[in-house]
Amino acid sequence: MSGAVSYHAGRAAEEIVAHLYEAQGRQVAARRWRSEAGEIDLIARDGAEVIFVEVKQSRSHAEAAQKLSARQMGRIATAAALFLAEEPAGQLTPARFDVALVDGQGRVELLENAFAA
């Protein structure tokens, strides 16, 4: 996949996932949130809980899952800690890390609480 096609496929996948969270009654608080530690694709809220979502898109869910590395999970966790530092309860804010796998047909497999910080 070329860089431009990959970029647009990733953006489309993020949009699909954002709509899924909203359909579940969760508020999407941020898209492509950036910090010095890195970027978080989506940040959603479910009541007091903050949900950090990494979106991975590929031809199949299995291929998408293989794109998430331990190094990337660490970077996401560090960025999440920076986000939580701005919350009223800080690091005590209930939070979880989800991974949304999007296949070539736009089907989503949502892995809630997929990894720990």
Side-chain angles (χ1 to χ4, degrees), residues 97-116:
F97 297 90
D98 290 359
V99 176
L101 307 173
V102 183
D103 70 11
Q105 280 68 54
R107 292 180 298 233
V108 178
E109 182 177 344
L110 189 58
L111 307 173
E112 293 185 358
N113 217 14
F115 62 92

Side-chain angles (χ1 to χ4, degrees), residues 11-66:
R11 291 296 295 240
E14 289 170 7
E15 198 59 35
I16 290 167
V17 173
H19 286 299
L20 175 67
Y21 275 89
E22 289 169 343
Q24 294 173 346
R26 296 172 173 140
Q27 173 198 2
V28 174
R31 297 170 192 239
R32 294 193 168 211
W33 185 82
R34 292 183 184 273
S35 73
E36 59 269 15
E39 181 180 279
I40 298 175
D41 293 333
L42 293 171
I43 300 173
R45 294 183 185 275
D46 188 3
E49 183 177 45
V50 176
I51 308 166
F52 300 99
V53 185
E54 177 64 16
V55 179
K56 290 296 182 188
Q57 192 276 332
S58 197
R59 287 180 298 193
S60 70
H61 290 143
E63 283 183 25
Q66 291 174 348

